[in-house]
Amino acid sequence: MSDSETVVAAATPSIADSIVFHGSLSELYRLAKAGKIPTSLQGSHTRPCKFWTASKILSGIRNSILLTHGPSGCAFGVKQAYKLTNSRNSAAPYEPVVSTNLKQTQIVYGGERELKAAILEVDKKYKPSIIFVATSCATGIIGDNVDAVTSQIASQINAQILPVHCEGFAGEYRSGFDLVFREITKLMDAPTAESKAALSEYVNIVGAKMGPERTEIDTDVKELVRLIEGIGGKVHSVIAGNCSLDELRRAPSVAVNCALCLDLGYAIGSAMQDAFGTPLNSTILPYGIAATERWILGAAKYIGKTAEAKALMESEYAAIKEEYEQVLSHLEGKTAIVEGHDAIKSLSIAHMLERDFKMRAIVYNFHPWSAEARETSIDYLLETGLDPEILITKGTLALGKYESMQQTEDELLEFLGSLNPRETVYFGSSLSFPNIPLVDLNAILNRPRFGYRGALKVAKCIKTALDYGFRPRSAMSKRIVFPQNSGLVSVQSLTGKLAQDMPDCTMYAGQRRKGQCMMS
Amino acid sequence: MHDELEFENCSHSHDPVVGCALEGVSNIIAGIRDISIVLHSPQGCASTVALGYDNHETDFTQRKVACTRLFETDIIMGASEKLRDLILKADATFKTKVMFVVGTCSADIIGEDIEGMCRSLQPKVGAQLIPVHSGGFRGDLYAGMDLGLSTLLTFVRPLDGPKLTRSVNLIAPQASLNPTWWADLKWAKGVLSAMGVETHCVFPSTTSIEEISLASAATANIFLTHDMGYNFSRDMEKKHGVPTILRDLPLPIGLKNTSNWLRALGEYFDASDVAEQLIESGETLVTDILRRRGLMLIPRYRNAKVAISADASMTIGLVRMLFEELEMIPDLLLVRSSSEQAKTLLEAELNRLGISPRVAFGVDGYKVKQSLAAMELDAIFGSAWEKYIAEELGTKLAFDLFQPTNRTCYRDSAYFGYEGMINMLEIIANDWEAALRSKEIRWEQYQE
């Protein structure tokens, strides 16, 4: 038993009863691998299926048409979630998501004829650069031979065509991301000496999704582009965040792929490394200065700009130094509880808190499912020496959503009872109500979060939360989120707009609300 | 008397602007109190069920949904055990009176016997288990809502006692593109109440199973939609002797449609005097407000050539309001649904008005965009979709009235009735102002 476990158990026996796991990430990982802790998600913990996650990546490729082979509902759902969000937030024009709109007859007799006809129609009426044919559960089960149809028809159409087998049942939530990132490497041209020379100072930022960056917000992607340009490099393409087919074709010729998201960036980065030998700069999310510097140097090495990178790091730090160091003096030695719903983000934040801010980080309710689903990333993190403290309470494994569930809220409050509220902050959704200062990094005004400016922004957010810790959280807000006698379900189930504000970025835009994925 | 539009390259490819049957079923089930849903499907379908709940703005504490999260092995080997375990667990956790066990495309196609499962588990659980096959391939949103209503019909008990004489069931208020459609429901209940008519059962919006079971006692059914529900109303009449009234009238949108609707209602329930009072006070309200605050709508809107892109419920009602009352020219009507009854009703209304706009039913995004691009229009009445299409096409005025809207609606606003007309005109006026204001300050004009 660790020291922290001893303290908790002695001070608050009730929370000890609620704890499922309290220890290091490596220990949790070991238990998950050995099957000693349940890693399956509850029936209430539905995430977007493989079809949805595949569509999310495909939505970030310009002048493409997503043709979904199946009933129309799957197309409508992703269109409303991703395409409408692109229009609302990023001023993208109206973009369709097309369906073969299968009915009962085609389910019985097969839908290949409809698919063939639909491809021809789509090619004529939209004139896209590429048609992605995405399979759905229905066509996966009835066994339509989509590969045969697409290969037969390829010569009859102007657009390029790529089948994507992403039936919703065919894998976990993130398998759709991995699949598409792997599949789109088929659209890429092998580098030549000439193409590599032309792109020798270029990098790709890989692991992005959906449409263009918002013009009015200092997004994380824009910050990374600024840093690359700051060292004299250039960004060839953000894959797949509003990239073109032409950019994809030439993408392997860049000097290096830089992962935006450790998990998703690794998926495409390693696929391109295997297929074309394109180097991969894969680090944890660049939250904080230590991670940012690793990211910049990792990129600079391949474009021959190490000296420029070091100069940039100095100038970037100099620009924030005075304020940053002043703020940091208030943070050192404090404790942070980090909500663990978004596994990779929470671990990256923990890394920043420990390495940069010298704080103690406890990742709270990191679902053991993540230990399995995010294996690649966790392996990487552990290799880099990051092994944060993890706390999992029973509410996380109960039927019901854990994000702002009354049970997990109560368990958190019990746990916090053993900590000094003046010395502890909570990193999570503003829709949680711990009785300690709260930092919500998903709030849209708290951008950018990456890079030096991001490090300062986050540090200031913590200081602000501590400074105003004397103000009790709004009773009105709390009553909105937790009405009397609530309990089983969570804010994730609120209207689409609110669901979008949840931190794990796996929600859907509702019909009537301005929705947005916060991981832009 | 309308000119039906035809489109090329649209026979096999469809850019949907409405959801599938599962969303329709969910949209009905979500209107019932104290129920839970066990969804037998891959996990993505849970988002579609969530859309049904979203459309009711159901408080999150009332959303009791669990999903079997089917994966490949389940598809190959079947997942009856998984379903059984989840029903038992959900019953113990949710503790609702009724549990709908909903099968989607996957469960439907692989032939999961959810009826058999419900039968065999019924003695072991507290909730009444209701199986519903809701594969998305069974149709679109409206077909799914019909499917949901037909499931609810099984709850309606044969009449056991005298028929109520001043009591109505209201059908499918949620099948409407008003983003706060429950305000229309409230308006309908209000005018019924003013005429001494009780709203017996709403099919369904925060309705209990008990209320549904007693629906056969109502004097009549009234549609609050023109997009679906026709089979249900036929069956209610045939099986339970409850007729549907006002079915051939446009919904109460605008002055004339509202007065027609109120008069017909008053006549049926022998409350014509109340109807006339409501009409008089309502029309006075509208004209008084517009005299003081909206006088300029007359020169603004007169003879503007406009398109409506909406459902049948809103489109049929709006045509007269725009043409007769606001003196616009509805040149293009794009309807998301395609029921024969709605087509007939719209045809009759256009004949009465003596206009022949271009019309398309069952439109998708491509047809909407193509139609709007092909016409010279001053304004579009539509949703956020049409707003973005209009931006691209260079049509300056796009009124964001319908779902999915880009407006934030904190207050419930009816579109039905007299205040409903004012509510719509307010949105139109604000969108007008925002659209025509210069977007950039030309600083050079201010330089000395």
Side-chain angles (χ1 to χ4, degrees):
Chain A
M1 187 179 271
S2 69
D3 288 350
S4 55
E5 277 179 291
T6 314
V7 170
V8 170
T12 54
S14 57
I15 182 60
D17 293 341
S18 298
I19 289 175
V20 175
F21 175 84
H22 189 189
S24 65
L25 174 65
S26 56
E27 176 64 3
L28 174 69
Y29 194 38
R30 192 184 62 74
L31 291 175
K33 278 193 162 175
K36 291 185 176 169
I37 192 163
T39 54
S40 59
L41 278 183
Q42 300 89 301
S44 46
H45 283 47
T46 48
R47 298 212 159 209
C49 64
K50 187 175 187 176
F51 174 86
W52 275 69
T53 49
S55 304
K56 193 167 193 176
I57 306 298
L58 294 171
S59 296
I61 300 174
R62 281 200 306 275
N63 196 28
S64 66
I65 290 289
L66 177 58
L67 171 59
T68 66
H69 187 35
S72 64
C74 306
F76 178 72
V78 298
K79 173 182 163 179
Q80 185 146 272
Y82 304 140
K83 299 292 191 181
L84 183 58
T85 301
N86 283 346
S87 292
R88 278 174 170 162
N89 292 344
S90 304
Y94 172 86
E95 288 177 17
V97 174
V98 184
S99 168
T100 50
N101 198 19
L102 296 192
K103 299 289 190 328
Q104 207 147 350
T105 319
Q106 289 89 40
I107 298 299
V108 175
Y109 294 106
E112 291 176 13
R113 192 187 298 176
E114 274 65 26
L115 175 59
K116 197 173 175 182
I119 293 168
L120 291 171
E121 286 184 357
V122 163
D123 188 55
K124 279 184 201 151
K125 65 183 178 182
Y126 294 112
K127 298 178 177 55
S129 305
I130 182 161
I131 301 168
F132 295 107
V133 179
T135 56
S136 64
C137 291
T139 49
I141 297 170
I142 66 173
D144 275 358
N145 193 343
V146 172
D147 288 343
V149 171
T150 53
S151 66
Q152 281 163 15
I153 212 163
S155 60
Q156 300 170 43
I157 58 175
N158 293 314
Q160 201 162 340
I161 190 161
L162 183 71
V164 180
H165 293 276
C166 54
E167 301 86 3
F169 59 76
E172 254 299 356
Y173 142 82
R174 57 158 294 167
S175 64
F177 296 138
D178 291 347
L179 170 74
V180 172
F181 279 136
R182 214 169 40 243
E183 288 296 297
I184 60 177
T185 60
K186 292 178 182 168
L187 304 172
M188 297 174 178
D189 296 336
T192 61
E194 196 178 24
S195 66
K196 284 175 85 167
L199 295 179
S200 62
E201 291 189 339
Y202 282 80
V203 309
N204 296 318
I205 292 177
V206 294
K209 44 190 177 276
M210 294 180 70
E213 292 296 299
R214 297 172 76 148
T215 56
E216 308 307 309
I217 293 169
D218 283 339
T219 65
D220 292 327
V221 169
K222 286 198 284 191
E223 184 65 5
L224 295 182
V225 171
R226 190 183 71 81
L227 292 173
I228 289 292
E229 290 174 351
I231 61 173
K234 293 169 190 163
V235 175
H236 168 70
S237 186
V238 178
I239 304 173
N242 199 32
C243 61
S244 69
L245 180 60
D246 189 48
E247 284 172 13
L248 285 176
R249 284 189 182 125
R250 292 183 290 125
S253 297
V254 298
V256 61
N257 282 323
C258 296
L260 167 65
C261 168
L262 175 64
D263 231 23
L264 308 183
Y266 186 81
I268 183 166
S270 58
M272 287 176 70
Q273 198 166 34
D274 293 345
F276 306 109
T278 313
L280 173 63
N281 171 32
S282 180
T283 67
I284 60 168
L285 292 168
Y287 280 105
I289 290 174
T292 298
E293 291 187 343
R294 190 180 297 172
W295 194 90
I296 294 173
L297 288 170
K301 183 171 71 174
Y302 292 98
I303 55 175
K305 305 280 186 188
T306 302
E308 290 86 341
K310 286 181 177 163
L312 176 85
M313 284 154 49
E314 273 181 30
S315 67
E316 287 285 315
Y317 189 70
I320 64 165
K321 184 174 187 290
E322 189 178 344
E323 200 175 6
Y324 181 69
E325 289 178 0
Q326 197 274 329
V327 175
L328 231 53
S329 65
H330 296 275
L331 309 187
E332 200 169 325
K334 302 224 168 23
T335 298
I337 313 289
V338 184
E339 248 175 23
H341 317 147
D342 187 322
I344 300 306
K345 195 184 292 180
S346 64
L347 294 175
S348 301
I349 290 171
H351 178 273
M352 169 180 62
L353 298 174
E354 286 183 1
R355 298 280 159 88
D356 294 305
F357 301 165
K358 312 295 178 217
M359 295 172 72
R360 173 193 173 198
I362 303 168
V363 180
Y364 176 62
N365 282 347
F366 180 96
H367 199 292
W369 171 82
S370 299
E372 206 170 53
R374 306 288 188 162
E375 201 173 287
T376 315
S377 303
I378 293 171
D379 279 339
Y380 175 86
L381 289 166
L382 293 174
E383 278 171 23
T384 63
L386 181 74
D387 193 8
E389 195 175 335
I390 307 281
L391 172 70
I392 300 171
T393 59
K394 283 181 179 171
T396 303
L397 305 180
L399 189 66
K401 309 271 184 177
Y402 55 85
E403 280 85 350
S404 271
M405 182 174 160
Q406 190 71 54
Q407 184 180 347
T408 53
E409 185 84 359
D410 292 343
E411 288 166 351
L412 174 64
L413 290 177
E414 283 172 15
F415 179 71
L416 293 175
S418 64
L419 300 168
N420 181 350
R422 285 182 299 278
E423 298 285 315
T424 311
V425 292
Y426 186 77
F427 271 76
S429 163
S430 301
L431 302 176
S432 293
F433 292 86
N435 53 0
I436 53 172
L438 182 142
V439 178
D440 185 350
L441 289 187
N442 282 311
I444 201 72
L445 294 179
N446 294 338
R447 308 291 166 104
R449 300 162 298 185
F450 291 171
Y452 293 81
R453 293 200 302 150
L456 175 61
K457 175 80 91 172
V458 176
K460 284 166 74 176
C461 283
I462 302 172
K463 169 116 183 354
T464 302
L466 288 164
D467 287 349
Y468 289 90
F470 65 87
R471 177 186 60 195
R473 287 296 302 278
S474 158
M476 180 191 79
S477 303
K478 188 166 186 181
R479 200 168 151 197
I480 291 169
V481 178
F482 293 116
Q484 280 189 333
N485 305 320
S486 67
L488 271 174
V489 280
S490 80
V491 230
Q492 189 178 342
S493 304
L494 278 170
T495 58
K497 174 70 171 80
L498 278 177
Q500 293 293 312
D501 289 337
M502 290 304 296
D504 74 357
C505 191
T506 58
M507 316 304 170
Y508 318 100
Q511 280 203 307
R512 296 182 310 281
R513 299 295 189 227
K514 298 178 199 173
Q516 72 279 332
C517 174
M518 307 302 284
M519 185 67 182
S520 55
Chain B
M1 199 178 170
H2 66 259
D3 183 7
E4 185 103 22
L5 287 163
E6 288 179 3
F7 299 89
E8 287 181 359
N9 295 315
C10 290
S11 309
H12 299 87
S13 53
H14 186 73
D15 171 24
V17 289
V18 296
C20 66
L22 174 63
E23 187 182 335
V25 167
S26 308
N27 214 337
I28 294 296
I29 295 176
I32 308 170
R33 287 206 306 270
D34 197 18
I35 59 104
S36 54
I37 296 176
V38 164
L39 189 61
H40 196 30
S41 71
Q43 58 186 344
C45 300
S47 65
T48 306
V49 172
L51 288 177
Y53 277 108
D54 289 350
N55 193 40
H56 288 259
E57 288 199 341
T58 306
D59 184 277
F60 66 89
T61 61
Q62 301 305 313
R63 298 183 184 208
K64 295 172 178 172
V65 183
C67 174
T68 48
R69 302 177 74 244
L70 299 180
F71 288 107
E72 202 144 10
T73 2
D74 304 315
I75 300 296
I76 296 165
M77 310 296 288
S80 302
E81 283 303 296
K82 210 170 178 180
L83 176 61
R84 191 185 69 88
D85 292 348
L86 190 60
I87 291 173
L88 293 172
K89 196 168 184 182
D91 181 62
T93 310
F94 295 145
K95 297 182 176 63
T96 54
K97 284 186 185 168
V98 173
M99 179 186 291
F100 288 90
V101 180
V102 176
T104 67
C105 290
S106 298
D108 230 353
I109 297 171
I110 65 172
E112 287 285 288
D113 182 11
I114 59 174
E115 286 95 348
M117 179 64 72
C118 289
R119 266 197 311 277
S120 70
L121 276 184
Q122 190 59 78
K124 298 175 187 160
V125 297
Q128 183 184 353
L129 300 178
I130 308 294
V132 192
H133 284 288
S134 310
F137 58 81
R138 289 175 183 267
D140 68 4
L141 171 86
Y142 300 113
M145 292 180 80
D146 278 328
L147 193 59
L149 283 183
S150 70
T151 303
L152 296 193
L153 196 63
T154 62
F155 286 93
V156 180
R157 291 206 300 260
L159 185 61
D160 180 20
K163 198 98 176 154
L164 299 167
T165 55
R166 298 183 75 77
S167 169
V168 298
N169 300 319
L170 298 175
I171 300 176
Q174 68 270 51
S176 156
L177 291 183
N178 177 352
T180 53
W181 53 263
W182 43 90
D184 289 330
L185 173 63
K186 189 177 172 188
W187 176 86
K189 285 180 173 180
V191 296
L192 285 163
S193 172
M195 292 184 190
V197 181
E198 171 215 12
T199 301
H200 188 61
C201 178
V202 180
F203 277 93
S205 167
T206 61
T207 307
S208 69
I209 288 290
E210 288 71 26
E211 286 165 344
I212 291 170
S213 71
L214 299 172
S216 57
T219 318
N221 288 327
I222 297 177
F223 277 127
L224 296 184
T225 175
H226 286 310
D227 291 278
M228 43 71 64
Y230 294 100
N231 293 343
F232 177 75
S233 80
R234 181 199 60 208
D235 292 344
M236 278 293 283
E237 181 151 16
K238 202 168 153 188
K239 290 184 183 167
H240 300 291
V242 185
T244 299
I245 60 170
L246 315 187
R247 63 186 302 164
D248 298 325
L249 288 178
L251 290 167
I253 295 170
L255 297 180
K256 184 74 173 287
N257 286 335
T258 302
S259 62
N260 286 346
W261 200 85
L262 289 172
R263 282 198 178 101
L265 191 64
E267 209 169 291
Y268 190 86
F269 284 107
D270 195 20
S272 294
D273 53 337
V274 180
E276 292 305 325
Q277 285 166 20
L278 289 170
I279 293 165
E280 190 184 340
S281 62
E283 290 187 349
T284 305
L285 171 90
V286 172
T287 48
D288 277 0
I289 286 177
L290 294 182
R291 180 180 302 115
R292 281 178 281 133
R293 302 176 201 163
L295 199 62
M296 293 313 287
L297 65 80
I298 299 169
R300 266 185 186 179
Y301 303 153
R302 191 167 181 280
N303 284 345
K305 294 193 171 179
V306 300
I308 305 170
S309 182
D311 57 8
S313 309
M314 290 292 149
T315 302
I316 298 171
L318 266 180
V319 171
R320 183 175 292 274
M321 177 179 124
L322 300 187
F323 184 66
E324 273 191 358
E325 288 147 22
L326 299 178
E327 299 183 289
M328 293 178 169
I329 300 168
D331 256 358
L332 176 64
L333 309 178
L334 303 168
V335 184
R336 294 185 192 179
S337 65
S338 57
S339 79
E340 289 306 316
Q341 292 87 345
K343 287 179 182 173
T344 306
L345 188 56
L346 179 62
E347 182 75 21
E349 182 70 345
L350 295 178
N351 284 337
R352 285 190 291 268
L353 292 169
I355 56 174
S356 48
R358 308 193 80 187
V359 177
F361 284 91
V363 295
D364 71 346
Y366 178 79
K367 292 176 181 175
V368 170
K369 191 171 174 182
Q370 288 302 109
S371 309
L372 294 173
M375 308 272 295
E376 274 191 35
L377 297 162
D378 295 307
I380 301 163
F381 292 78
S383 66
W385 296 126
E386 286 78 14
K387 187 179 174 63
Y388 301 124
I389 290 172
E391 270 178 15
E392 193 179 341
L393 297 177
T395 309
K396 288 195 167 47
L397 295 167
F399 305 123
D400 183 7
L401 286 163
F402 307 125
Q403 290 193 56
T405 179
N406 205 25
R407 284 181 295 115
T408 294
C409 311
Y410 283 165
R411 287 180 305 145
D412 297 341
S413 298
Y415 286 179
F416 287 178
Y418 300 105
E419 282 195 33
M421 184 177 178
I422 294 291
N423 290 333
M424 278 195 280
L425 290 175
E426 185 177 287
I427 294 164
I428 294 165
N430 283 317
D431 281 354
W432 177 291
E433 296 285 354
L436 299 189
R437 182 182 185 271
S438 296
K439 299 291 182 297
E440 292 173 25
I441 298 173
R442 305 294 297 271
W443 290 109
E444 66 274 14
Q445 295 180 16
Y446 296 90
Q447 286 171 356
E448 289 180 9

